[in-house]
Amino acid sequence: MSIGTFQQQTMSNKNPFEIRFDTLAMAKELLDREYEANMSRYYEAMEQARSNNQDVTKLFDKYIPKMYTPEEIAERAEELYKFITKKG
């Protein structure tokens, strides 16, 4: 049995609510990872500014990443769901 067949059988055993929940969880996880990567870049920028004796308070608003919203999770989940259900 190929991996694709296994995944297809696993997906077909789930009801629509479980599939939607899994898709939302996947979307949130992707956004969590993006936010963490952006926070890491933010900390690096702040550290570099400190070592260059720059005023970090002025840079805070420019570099601090924006936390995602529930609406953005839903939008990302919708994108994933369209990809998952796309035929061919």
Side-chain angles (χ1 to χ4, degrees), residues 38-80:
N38 289 337
M39 282 301 291
S40 181
R41 284 192 289 275
Y42 162 75
Y43 288 127
E44 289 172 12
M46 291 297 105
E47 189 57 41
Q48 185 176 8
R50 275 191 212 109
S51 36
N52 292 334
N53 293 322
Q54 291 178 300
D55 183 7
V56 293
T57 57
K58 293 178 182 177
L59 298 174
F60 178 82
D61 289 333
K62 181 178 179 180
Y63 289 107
I64 189 76
K66 179 182 81 73
M67 186 59 161
Y68 55 84
T69 64
E71 291 81 13
E72 290 171 318
I73 297 172
E75 288 170 12
R76 182 67 62 95
E78 185 67 32
E79 291 172 18
L80 291 170

Side-chain angles (χ1 to χ4, degrees), residues 14-28 77:
K14 293 185 176 189
N15 68 45
F17 296 106
E18 291 171 319
I19 294 170
R20 288 188 66 185
F21 179 81
D22 289 349
T23 306
L24 280 169
M26 188 185 314
K28 183 184 179 309

Side-chain angles (χ1 to χ4, degrees), residues 23-37:
T23 306
L24 280 169
M26 188 185 314
K28 183 184 179 309
E29 183 178 332
L30 288 170
L31 289 170
D32 282 341
R33 288 182 182 178
E34 285 178 22
Y35 182 77
E36 288 170 10

